[in-house]
Amino acid sequence: MFGNAGLLADHQILARLNRPAVEREGQEFDDGFADDSIVVSPILNQATQLQQVSIDLRLGARIMSSKGVHVDLNENYDAQHINDAYEMIELGGKSGYTNVRMHPGDTILWETLEYVRLPYDVAGKVMGKSTFGRLFLSVHVTAGLVDPGFKGKVTLELVNSGPHVLNLHPGTRICQMTFYQMPGRVSR
């Protein structure tokens, strides 16, 4: 999948997971973790989230719901245009929403609860969990690759392709991320 890249096993992930930065004079850290650390935070229950070759990610509290507008996909379309097509909704609090009901055919963008930061020599891949696949809930339809150097929450592309109405709740372990050791650091 990634040429000479190797899939990391659980013990390899653990060896690099959320390692704190060692303070060195003149060096600043934006998140307090070592540069070569794989950061996935928060991990609430390592025993249930860490699998043999992956870490489970959970649904966060921010979703983007389609505004139902016409979107012109041309060579100038980029991620900044996403705001034109979607409305950001924060679950809980003022919105009054505590869960999301997905009817057959519904699509939604949903951020993970976890913040992820990959070092420049590790790539990630996000995949759905088979439990939800059996309900025909696709979790990451097109953009499953997470590039080396990525920082942020992963945006999931949820599609209900099945016949059932599904109630989704923040905190649910919805997908898994695998990690691939690159043969060297990427240039950017």
Side-chain angles (χ1 to χ4, degrees):
M1 168 174 203
F2 294 108
N4 292 330
L7 178 63
L8 298 181
D10 56 355
H11 67 280
Q12 294 168 307
I13 295 169
L14 270 174
R16 294 184 73 177
L17 185 64
N18 298 340
R19 292 184 320 113
V22 177
E23 300 247 359
R24 293 188 184 99
E25 192 169 331
Q27 195 172 19
E28 293 184 26
F29 298 95
D30 58 354
D31 58 14
F33 295 102
D35 285 346
D36 64 344
S37 181
I38 295 170
V39 177
V40 179
S41 181
I43 292 184
L44 298 181
N45 187 335
Q46 186 172 303
T48 59
Q49 279 186 263
L50 182 63
Q51 307 301 322
Q52 289 87 352
V53 294
S54 66
I55 292 179
D56 289 347
L57 301 179
R58 294 164 292 156
L59 293 172
R62 288 177 56 166
I63 64 170
M64 290 177 270
S65 180
S66 174
K67 292 179 181 176
V69 297
H70 174 82
V71 177
D72 184 16
L73 296 179
N74 60 44
E75 63 187 39
N76 297 319
Y77 185 83
D78 62 21
Q80 297 303 321
H81 291 94
I82 206 87
N83 293 332
D84 297 339
Y86 286 89
E87 171 188 8
M88 182 70 69
I89 299 171
E90 195 81 33
L91 299 176
K94 294 178 184 176
S95 76
Y97 297 110
T98 57
N99 68 330
V100 173
R101 182 172 289 173
M102 287 189 74
H103 294 272
D106 282 354
T107 61
I108 198 160
L109 299 177
W110 200 318
E111 279 187 351
T112 59
L113 176 66
E114 292 79 10
Y115 166 84
V116 173
R117 179 175 56 82
L118 297 181
Y120 285 95
D121 64 345
V122 173
K125 176 109 175 95
V126 176
M127 296 168 278
K129 294 181 70 67
S130 60
T131 303
F132 298 107
R134 291 181 188 110
L135 294 169
F136 298 97
L137 177 64
S138 299
V139 171
H140 220 56
V141 180
T142 62
L145 175 65
V146 182
D147 288 322
F150 173 84
K151 297 178 188 181
K153 295 189 176 195
V154 177
T155 301
L156 305 173
E157 304 157 350
L158 302 179
V159 178
N160 183 357
S161 300
H164 309 289
V165 175
L166 305 173
N167 284 326
L168 300 175
H169 304 268
T172 301
R173 291 184 297 131
I174 193 81
C175 64
Q176 53 200 351
M177 179 178 260
T178 53
F179 303 93
Y180 297 85
Q181 179 66 56
M182 306 304 292
R185 288 176 57 95
V186 296
S187 58
R188 57 179 180 119

